[in-house]
């Protein structure tokens, strides 16, 4: 009897110690999350700002930021200094907006740009010039992304077809065709999109799966090995820009809707996990155009409702910080290195380069704050 009581006492003591360790760890994590700040490091003025910025994309290691403008211009900016590195294409009055940019994940010098005029352009950053171009006749390309190993990139847009390109030859390997309403074939939920596509995103940890979304209030999950039809469908999100991202087994979507616009979904089940509260007023609405994961806890999103972008801890709904474009629509966002580099831009240019940082380490990394969650530390003017 005494031995059993002793064993029970020892077991209870161990359980209490484990619970104490778990609580301490949770408190440490919560304290760490509370110390994060969003700091705007630079507001960069560029020579083509008057045409508006429609796309931004960091290189995989974060050393360069590609910027696409409304007249088809493509420029490369150093995100650390805010200085213009080079101009890959100056733009032209006959060209339309660069709607998407994507770096080859295995070749930091290879950049693909797509436009609303249906043109696909391949640039070599080392040569600082165009190395290949093709056109999707009759299409307005809205979105582009590389698969994990860089062997394939995919485009989508107005004509609702999804084109898979071989990245070595830049030739179309396969087309996941949109449903033909005139053919009389039965439509199913896994058929292609019925309205134009605005977002396409490959899963970063899988070689084959990717997601698309657009005006037909659905996100479709595809396997690029399939001849046709999506694997699964998420109903609801009204996607009007680069507003789909995936990390681990979470999907974030941003809808152009007045409320419940920012949502987290389970990639495995396609079920809604939660609506994230995006800070706004009753008179403004949310109306998101772009969203991106910063890390496993935080998302970046912005649009035309508040004309600002916010970083939000989606597990607690805490707003880490806000970047305002002052009455100008946020049209594009990007983030790399767990939020260490963040870019926000839109109408009138308004390129802001920011960082997520732990406030206790800001001084060591050269960050400054003015007591608020967001501080503009420098404004750089880059001459034409």
């Amino acid at each position: 009897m005494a031995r059993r009581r002793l064993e029970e006492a020892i077991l209870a003591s161990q359980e209490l110690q484990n619970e104490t360790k778990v609580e301490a760890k949770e408190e440490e994590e919560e304290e760490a999350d509370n110390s994060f700040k969003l700091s705007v490091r630079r507001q960069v003025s560029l020579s083509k700002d008057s045409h508006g910025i429609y796309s931004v994309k960091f290189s995989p290691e974060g050393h360069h930021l590609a910027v696409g403008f409304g007249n088809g211009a493509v420029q490369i900016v150093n995100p650390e200094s805010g200085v213009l590195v080079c101009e890959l294409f100056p733009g032209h009055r006959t060209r339309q907006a660069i709607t998407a940019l994507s770096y080859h994940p295995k070749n930091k010098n290879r950049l693909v740009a797509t436009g609303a005029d249906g043109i696909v352009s391949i640039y070599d950053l080392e040569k600082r010039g165009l190395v290949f171009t093709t056109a999707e006749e009759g299409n307005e390309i809205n979105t582009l992304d590389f698969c994990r190993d860089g062997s394939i990139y995919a485009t989508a847009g107005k004509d609702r077809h999804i084109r898979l390109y071989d990245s070595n030859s830049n030739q179309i390997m396969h087309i996941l065709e949109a449903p033909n309403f005139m053919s009389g074939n039965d439509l199913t939920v896994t058929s292609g999109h019925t309205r134009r596509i605005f977002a396409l995103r490959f899963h970063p940890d899988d070689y084959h799966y990717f997601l698309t979304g657009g005006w037909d209030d659905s996100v479709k999950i595809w396997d690029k090995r399939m001849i046709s039809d999506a694997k699964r469908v998420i109903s609801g999100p009204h996607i009007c820009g680069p507003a789909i991202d995936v990390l681990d087994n979470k999907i974030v979507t941003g809808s152009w809707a007045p409320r419940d616009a920012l949502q987290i979904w389970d990639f495995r089940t396609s079920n809604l996990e939660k609506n994230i509260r995006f800070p706004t007023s009753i008179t403004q609405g949310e109306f998101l155009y772009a969203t991106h994961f910063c890390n496993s806890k935080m998302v970046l999103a912005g649009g035309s409702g508040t004309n600002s972008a916010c970083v939000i801890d989606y597990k607690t709904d805490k707003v880490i910080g806000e970047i305002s474009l002052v009455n100008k629509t946020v049209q594009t966002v990007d983030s790399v290195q767990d939020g260490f580099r963040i870019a926000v831009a839109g109408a009138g240019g308004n390129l802001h380069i920011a960082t997520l940082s732990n406030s206790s380490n800001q001084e060591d990394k050269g960050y400054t704050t003015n007591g608020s969650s967001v501080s503009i530390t420098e404004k750089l003017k880059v001459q034409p």
Side-chain angles (χ1 to χ4, degrees), residues 97-341:
I98 298 298
T99 51
L101 296 157
S102 189
Y103 283 88
H104 191 295
K106 304 297 184 181
N107 183 354
K108 63 182 181 181
N109 290 317
R110 187 57 56 95
L111 175 70
V112 182
T114 56
D117 47 15
I119 296 176
V120 179
S121 303
I122 315 295
Y123 294 100
D124 188 305
L125 271 66
E126 193 172 30
K127 298 177 180 178
R128 298 192 174 187
L130 182 70
V131 295
F132 181 84
T133 186
T134 187
E136 297 180 2
E137 297 296 334
N139 192 25
E140 297 175 9
I141 305 174
N142 295 321
T143 183
L144 152 81
D145 197 24
F146 272 97
C147 70
R148 180 183 178 183
D149 62 4
S151 61
I152 289 174
Y153 61 89
T155 66
K158 181 181 178 180
D159 69 6
R160 302 174 290 118
H161 299 315
I162 301 168
R163 295 170 175 84
L164 303 176
Y165 287 81
D166 182 299
S167 66
N168 291 319
S169 65
N170 294 305
Q171 301 301 311
I172 296 174
M173 296 175 53
H174 181 57
I175 299 177
L176 292 164
E177 295 188 356
N180 184 347
F181 300 114
M182 303 302 293
S183 66
N185 294 335
D186 292 335
L187 287 177
T188 67
V189 291
T190 57
S191 298
H193 287 279
T194 57
R195 301 185 70 185
R196 64 182 66 192
I197 301 169
F198 279 93
L200 184 154
R201 187 76 169 95
F202 273 95
H203 196 298
D205 299 323
D206 187 274
Y207 291 100
H208 305 294
Y209 281 91
F210 66 94
L211 301 87
T212 57
W215 278 357
D216 61 1
D217 298 342
S218 68
V219 171
K220 296 181 186 285
I221 302 173
W222 305 81
D223 184 330
K224 66 180 175 61
R225 297 167 295 186
M226 303 293 288
I227 296 176
S228 62
D229 289 349
K231 297 283 289 184
R232 300 192 300 278
V233 178
I234 294 172
S235 297
H238 184 69
I239 306 297
C240 296
I244 296 176
D245 198 18
V246 56
L247 181 65
D248 299 327
N249 286 311
K250 307 293 183 186
I251 301 168
V252 61
T253 59
S255 295
W256 200 79
R259 59 185 178 276
D260 294 337
L262 192 58
Q263 297 174 305
I264 296 290
W265 309 80
D266 188 298
F267 175 80
R268 296 159 298 186
T269 65
S270 303
N271 292 332
L272 177 66
E273 287 197 352
K274 71 174 298 184
N275 295 312
I276 306 171
R277 289 181 298 195
F278 188 86
T280 186
S281 67
I282 297 175
T283 58
Q284 289 174 318
E286 298 176 17
F287 298 108
L288 301 179
Y289 277 125
T291 188
H292 198 279
F293 277 110
C294 294
N295 50 51
S296 61
K297 292 184 178 181
M298 299 177 192
V299 295
L300 168 68
S304 63
T306 61
N307 295 318
S308 66
C310 292
V311 173
I312 303 171
D313 185 327
Y314 73 83
K315 295 189 176 183
T316 64
D317 285 336
K318 179 184 177 181
V319 178
I320 305 301
E322 181 179 17
I323 299 171
S324 175
L325 298 196
V326 190
N327 299 322
K328 300 292 185 180
T329 298
V330 173
Q331 297 176 154
T332 178
V333 303
D334 195 28
S335 173
V336 291
Q337 299 173 318
D338 290 336
F340 178 69
R341 298 201 187 281

Side-chain angles (χ1 to χ4, degrees), residues 65-103:
L65 176 67
V67 183
F69 296 88
N71 69 337
V74 178
Q75 297 182 344
I76 303 297
V77 173
N78 181 327
E80 183 66 27
S81 64
V83 172
L84 180 67
V85 175
C86 66
E87 184 171 74
L88 297 174
F89 182 67
H92 192 271
R93 60 182 176 80
T94 61
R95 294 292 300 272
Q96 296 184 36
I98 298 298
T99 51
L101 296 157
S102 189
Y103 283 88

Side-chain angles (χ1 to χ4, degrees), residues 37 39 362 368-375:
K37 301 293 183 183
S39 301
Q362 282 184 336
T368 60
T369 62
N370 59 5
S372 63
S373 60
V374 178
S375 63

